[in-house]
Amino acid sequence: MSVWDDLQGQPAVVDQLRQAAEGEGLTHAWLFTGPPGSGRSNAAKAFAAALNCDQDDITRRGCGQCHACQTIVGETHSDVTFVRTEKVTITIDEARELVSTAGNRPSSARWRIIVVEDADRMAERTTNVLLKAIEEPTPRTIWMLCAPSPADVLVTIRSRCRPVALRLPPAADVAALLVSRDGIAPDVAERAARAAQSHVGIARRLARDPDARQRRLDTVRFPLHLRGVTAAVMMADKLVKIATEEAASSNEERDAAEKAALLATLGAPESGPLPPAMRGQVKQLEDDQKRRAKRSITDSLDRTLTDLLSFYRDVLIIQMGNAVDLVNLELRDELQEFAGRSIPEVTLGRMDAINTARQRITTSNVAPLLAVESMAASLI
Ligand SMILES: [Zn+2]
């Protein structure tokens, strides 16, 4: 299996990157854009592997089998750095450190590669630190920035990068990937891919975790019972709760594994209290995990609201007289009944209210519950 096999539904991007890896149109700065779940960072990773692959035959680079490919995919290659912020933004100190790493020649590989997964989570001042490095490139360094859309990155940066635009893969491709890579049963994979609206990570989670499926179903059924202000307040409260649970269940496992790994590295005793010298490091990890948890609640709430949005999207499709390709196929009867009670203009207004709430939650400091309550009120 080559590194390109993971990029389901992106044939144009695969062609573009393969050609570049073979030397045609290679440049030192790239901007990968696409909606969440389209696989921007996977595309950057595959490209990094192809550029540094050990194969002598240039057409076979990105083989997925050699040491370079495997360490890059496993994110342990010393010349390929992945930056993914668990905080809300990338700090200026982190950017300076990256620039200094970028200045070093690769130690063993053909290229030193820096993949910045959240290039949109940078303040302008921080971006300017990177800009200088991108403007005056080191000969053997390649930058790969990832963001939801080109507009999320300062124009000064954007204009110096070659664009790679990913699209959301068709649900059928996502389902096929779940079947072939994760061994999920085809019917479960199909339903999960559709419900996740082709977001690969979410689809995998829905396919594997019945609780996650139930939480999603609870979310999309909310509008069916939304009759008055009291119901709206309760719905807001529940939505925030669902998002918090969702975030907690995806963090728990990882937090515990990280702590166990740290304790093992420190050589901590298997039971009893920790020696004082180790407590500081454990505390540091726990603080980082708390910060990450906060951001993952924001992300998870955004996801929950996207699920809610899919209900109204389906309603709108039915109101426009076209009941094919419903995201929430299981609720077809309820959706049809709901659609008959309003008109497209009203549905569009409700979709706007949800999008406004999403924007307030992800880009400003409004308390999530307040934003969701005011949204719920305008959905009645
Ligand atoms: Zn290889």
Side-chain angles (χ1 to χ4, degrees):
M1 208 167 138
S2 86
V3 295
W4 307 113
D5 293 339
D6 269 355
L7 302 180
Q8 291 278 343
Q10 309 286 352
V13 166
V14 171
D15 282 350
Q16 179 189 12
L17 297 178
R18 281 191 101 135
Q19 277 175 13
E22 289 172 16
E24 200 180 309
L26 184 60
T27 181
H28 66 275
W30 296 76
L31 178 60
F32 291 79
T33 58
S38 57
R40 331 179 265 259
S41 51
N42 279 346
K45 191 185 270 188
F47 187 32
L51 286 168
N52 278 340
C53 175
D54 294 333
Q55 297 289 346
D56 291 327
D57 178 356
I58 204 164
T59 61
R60 291 187 56 210
R61 297 229 171 119
C63 69
Q65 313 298 322
C66 71
H67 186 255
C69 279
Q70 290 192 337
T71 48
I72 291 168
V73 171
E75 303 191 7
T76 54
H77 193 292
S78 58
D79 291 325
V80 182
T81 307
F82 292 91
V83 185
R84 89 169 49 89
T85 182
E86 304 290 0
K87 290 168 261 167
V88 176
T89 57
I90 295 174
T91 66
I92 200 156
D93 287 340
E94 286 164 331
R96 289 209 179 98
E97 208 180 302
L98 278 184
V99 169
S100 122
T101 307
N104 299 331
R105 288 180 59 83
S107 60
S108 59
R110 245 170 256 121
W111 302 99
R112 174 168 295 282
I113 297 170
I114 312 227
V115 180
V116 182
E117 290 199 355
D118 308 284
D120 53 317
R121 300 194 188 209
M122 257 189 279
E124 187 167 345
R125 207 162 59 98
T126 314
T127 311
N128 286 331
V129 174
L130 288 195
L131 183 60
K132 227 173 135 26
I134 292 175
E135 270 177 334
E136 296 160 17
T138 322
R140 307 226 59 86
T141 295
I142 295 180
W143 289 86
M144 299 184 189
L145 311 180
C146 308
S149 78
D152 293 313
V153 180
L154 282 187
V155 65
T156 41
I157 291 261
R158 201 193 314 158
S159 62
R160 283 171 179 81
C161 294
R162 184 149 306 159
V164 180
L166 291 114
R167 61 190 182 115
L168 219 43
D173 288 356
V174 174
L177 185 68
L178 294 182
V179 172
S180 69
R181 200 170 60 182
D182 302 289
I184 309 266
D187 59 322
V188 177
E190 189 275 325
R191 250 177 291 147
R194 182 163 42 74
Q197 296 176 66
S198 291
H199 187 303
V200 179
I202 307 271
R204 181 173 301 122
R205 220 171 128 57
L206 288 174
R208 282 181 173 164
D209 180 358
D211 290 343
R213 287 204 288 275
Q214 187 57 46
R215 281 194 290 267
R216 184 185 178 282
L217 194 62
D218 290 346
T219 303
V220 293
R221 290 179 59 97
F222 266 124
L224 297 170
H225 315 290
L226 198 54
R227 294 272 149 77
V229 179
T230 319
V233 172
M234 276 170 60
M235 161 174 156
D237 195 53
K238 269 249 178 81
L239 283 175
V240 174
K241 222 174 250 161
I242 287 176
T244 312
E245 268 172 32
E246 191 68 43
S249 82
S250 57
N251 280 334
E252 242 166 49
E253 219 174 298
R254 187 168 54 168
D255 286 358
E258 281 175 357
K259 192 165 167 187
L262 175 65
L263 291 176
T265 314
L266 294 174
E270 293 210 349
S271 60
L274 273 184
M278 295 180 187
R279 281 182 211 149
Q281 300 202 47
V282 173
K283 168 104 176 35
Q284 170 94 49
L285 174 71
E286 285 171 349
D287 288 348
D288 286 347
Q289 290 178 339
K290 262 181 224 151
R291 265 197 298 276
R292 182 171 64 196
K294 195 166 170 220
R295 178 178 145 191
S296 61
I297 290 174
T298 309
D299 288 351
S300 158
L301 189 53
D302 187 61
R303 190 62 221 171
T304 304
L305 295 184
T306 309
D307 286 336
L308 186 64
L309 193 62
S310 75
F311 177 91
Y312 292 103
R313 171 222 176 258
D314 285 350
V315 168
L316 186 67
I317 285 183
I318 294 171
Q319 286 172 334
M320 306 300 271
N322 182 3
V324 295
D325 289 338
L326 295 181
V327 174
N328 302 290
L329 205 53
E330 296 77 5
L331 301 180
R332 182 192 282 273
D333 294 346
E334 285 106 319
L335 284 163
Q336 236 141 14
E337 204 258 331
F338 192 95
R341 282 191 275 126
S342 81
I343 52 171
E345 287 72 15
V346 173
T347 308
L348 281 169
R350 289 168 171 163
M351 292 171 82
D352 277 348
I354 297 175
N355 281 324
T356 305
R358 291 175 62 201
Q359 212 160 15
R360 291 177 73 195
I361 291 163
T362 48
T363 62
S364 67
N365 278 327
V366 181
L369 186 59
L370 278 182
V372 178
E373 272 176 359
S374 105
M375 173 205 78
S378 37
L379 294 179
I380 299 173

